[in-house]
Amino acid sequence: MSARYVMSSAMDPRCRFLMTTLLVVVVLLQGVPLALQAVSTDSDALLKFKQSIVDPKNTLSSWDGSTTPCATGSDKDNWAGVMCAGGTVRGLQLENMGLSGLIDVDSLRGLSALRTLSVMNNQFDGPMPDLAKLGMLKSVYLSNNKFSGQIADNAFEDMLSLKKLHLAGNGFTGGIPTSLTNLPKLIDLRLEGNQFTGTIPVFKQKDLQDFNVSNNDLDGLIPSSLAKMNSSSFTGNKALCGLPLNPCADASPEPPGKKSSHLNIIIPVVVICVVALIAGLVNCILRHKRKPTSVEDPPVQSNHQKKSNFQEATEGRPEAGSPENLSPGRRAENMKLSFVRDDREKFDLQDLLKASAEILGSGSFGSSYKAALLRGPAMVVKRFRQMNNVGREDFQEHMRRLGRLSHPNLLPLVAYYYRKEEKLLVYDYIERGSLAVHLHSNHSSGKPSLDWLTRLKIVKGITRGLLYLYNELPNLMAPHGHLKSSNVLLGDSFKPLLNDYALMPVINRENARDLMLAYKSPEYLQHDRITKKTDVWSFGIIILEILTGKLPVNTPQHMERNMEDSLAVWVRSTMDAGDNVLDKEMKTTASNENEINKLLRIALACCEPDVETEARH
Ligand SMILES: *[C@@H]1O[C@H](CO)[C@@H](O)[C@H](O)[C@H]1NC(C)=O
Ligand SMILES: CC(=O)N[C@H]1CO[C@H](CO)[C@@H](O)[C@@H]1O
């Protein structure tokens, strides 16, 4: 007021200029503490948030005032479970940490850029946190905790950015909040394994992708907009009916006249037959057009002759648009590797490009390269072009999840590189190569074969690795998804290391169907479903492969969809005929025959082709 008064009384133009400058300076100075505050609030907010968390394993010990949650201006985090973008906290991913206590939503309001909140697989209890206060959240994952009670019907009213909501495996009761049905961006809704009651409200979203309300106490008619969902999304409820489940028992009296009620059955049956015929025909034509795609890697991956620079190794290949083809100016900024573990010395894609590289072979997804760093260990770089449906945030989120996995029988993911068209995943290099090589090609190379005890040790290691994946990634339908002998590497003293695990959420569906082993399982072939048992099936096949020394698929023309099962079929029929199925190289003796037969029976039970029989076991 006074400033304007002085200026408007216009004495001296010079004086007016000075006043204006002074005003600008004052405004600027006010801005400075604001900026400083923004830097410190993320830290303050999280420290406050931590106060109400019970953290028995002390997994949040890095959360202290001595560093900031995010490195200044970068995507690198200093604190465990914090996702950063440009120096600010973008997400919290506090999964599998044994946490309990209170989710202090009010303190999280201090994180202005927070878009993802995950506390999956912990011990949190009590009512649904009031997340509406964090209206900008895009992804909320609360699955597999002990939350309970009713959720207010309008709880999600203002969460207009919400894309993914996972509340599965808790104890929520009451109706499914109708405020969910209006969220414009919602694509994923996982409510399975709670005690929701009442009917399913009518969802207005057109493109719900992942929807699951199975294993609740719901009843009534499934809204027609959800009729195209998989039936497994609705099973295990009190009394749901209508498509995709059974029709509702019709309360209205039977219409008179048998003719029409017959027609009611005949017409749908005819329609289904015609649709099935057309689908079969289209499938047939497509199959003839498409080149056969192999799920099995060539077992021999030892073409180490092609020594070259990584750059040369990838240049001039039909795969255009590789990172090396970026213009030099854009390179440096675009080629930063994101590390998902802290226990590694950092390097850049540049360092890998400078390193000498060997093409290790081309697996189901694409080529892998071995790159030996000038200073440091050899790494394997795997190139994926089948991950471009997944957005940067979701990809980052999943890679970080994988980066937190740590088990003696898992090959650790070290870093990744993201570009819309392709992704590179960087793993440790394992000198000894894959189980497939040892089972199927050592014989010709004159090296000794694996003996029974080594094979047993390998089976045990694979089991432990799988069990760990099941425990750590309970939200994945098939925690491994691509288990086969070329994806089991053999480390020191033949310790098995699982590879290419947990990629199902980031591989494009259409590619996954052609490439991934999970999609060759009986569940998928018979019921179009991937289930928790899918990995068990591939585990059984791998044991059979280990015991018989035979390739699961030994004909390149395995156009028949279920050729992977041929090994189990062969073992069964050969055993029925009283013949030996075991690999002679294994050098069995009378003393271990009993053990071997036990393992063989376990393997056959895992590959039970009849999905229904399997369910009863
Ligand atoms: C839904 O969840 C159940 C577990 O409750 C699972 O068995 C089923 O396969 C899921 N269906 C889909 C389509 O995700
Ligand atoms: C999640 C899931 O299993 N979706 C499947 C539902 O069924 C259709 C076809 O029957 C498949 O294409 C989906 O993959």
Side-chain angles (χ1 to χ4, degrees), residues 190 192-193 209-215 229-235 477 529-532:
R190 301 273 302 261
E192 72 266 26
Q209 288 166 7
D210 215 350
F211 179 87
N212 202 332
V213 293
S214 62
N215 299 320
M229 295 280 169
N230 285 22
S231 55
S232 68
S233 299
F234 301 97
T235 49
M477 259 320 131
R529 241 193 275 153
I530 306 282
T531 72
K532 295 271 178 214

Side-chain angles (χ1 to χ4, degrees), residues 334-396:
N334 277 324
M335 291 177 43
K336 270 184 63 183
L337 283 176
S338 306
F339 279 77
V340 293
R341 341 185 72 84
D342 293 331
D343 55 348
R344 298 311 174 92
E345 197 154 325
K346 307 281 186 287
F347 49 87
D348 256 332
L349 203 48
Q350 298 283 19
D351 302 327
L352 281 182
L353 292 177
K354 271 184 238 142
S356 78
E358 297 167 24
I359 303 172
L360 286 179
S362 47
S364 329
F365 297 109
S367 312
S368 317
Y369 307 90
K370 172 190 174 189
L373 292 166
L374 292 180
R375 284 168 295 117
M379 307 303 297
V380 171
V381 181
K382 290 193 152 203
R383 155 179 289 177
F384 293 86
R385 293 176 182 286
Q386 303 85 353
M387 295 182 177
N388 37 19
N389 289 352
V390 52
R392 185 187 282 271
E393 277 175 31
D394 290 344
F395 185 78
Q396 191 184 7

Side-chain angles (χ1 to χ4, degrees), residues 269-448:
V269 167
V270 169
V271 169
I272 289 172
C273 288
V274 169
V275 168
L277 268 177
I278 295 176
L281 207 66
V282 168
N283 195 0
C284 208
I285 294 168
L286 284 182
R287 251 200 247 165
H288 277 278
K289 275 192 169 171
R290 216 179 346 176
K291 271 190 279 163
T293 43
S294 167
V295 164
E296 201 58 30
D297 285 347
V300 190
Q301 294 201 337
S302 47
N303 54 341
H304 283 194
Q305 305 93 313
K306 298 182 196 156
K307 267 208 193 279
S308 69
N309 187 283
F310 185 56
Q311 231 153 332
E312 286 159 22
T314 55
E315 255 165 18
R317 294 172 67 80
E319 311 144 288
S322 53
E324 307 75 40
N325 299 346
L326 288 171
S327 63
R330 285 177 54 200
R331 264 192 195 181
E333 53 163 323
N334 277 324
M335 291 177 43
K336 270 184 63 183
L337 283 176
S338 306
F339 279 77
V340 293
R341 341 185 72 84
D342 293 331
D343 55 348
R344 298 311 174 92
E345 197 154 325
K346 307 281 186 287
F347 49 87
D348 256 332
L349 203 48
Q350 298 283 19
D351 302 327
L352 281 182
L353 292 177
K354 271 184 238 142
S356 78
E358 297 167 24
I359 303 172
L360 286 179
S362 47
S364 329
F365 297 109
S367 312
S368 317
Y369 307 90
K370 172 190 174 189
L373 292 166
L374 292 180
R375 284 168 295 117
M379 307 303 297
V380 171
V381 181
K382 290 193 152 203
R383 155 179 289 177
F384 293 86
R385 293 176 182 286
Q386 303 85 353
M387 295 182 177
N388 37 19
N389 289 352
V390 52
R392 185 187 282 271
E393 277 175 31
D394 290 344
F395 185 78
Q396 191 184 7
E397 201 178 290
H398 192 62
M399 289 304 115
R400 289 171 48 98
R401 200 166 284 144
L402 298 191
R404 278 198 305 274
L405 298 176
S406 166
H407 187 272
N409 297 110
L410 286 192
L411 182 69
L413 173 69
V414 175
Y416 67 89
Y417 165 77
Y418 178 97
R419 222 160 59 97
K420 182 133 189 36
E421 313 81 71
E422 79 175 337
K423 319 282 177 288
L424 303 178
L425 302 190
V426 181
Y427 294 92
D428 286 333
Y429 174 71
I430 303 298
E431 185 70 45
R432 213 190 285 270
S434 76
L435 174 63
V437 172
H438 285 266
L439 283 178
H440 306 301
S441 69
N442 268 5
H443 190 53
S444 49
S445 67
K447 282 189 215 143

Side-chain angles (χ1 to χ4, degrees), residues 468 545 558:
Y468 176 79
E545 193 179 339
H558 61 294

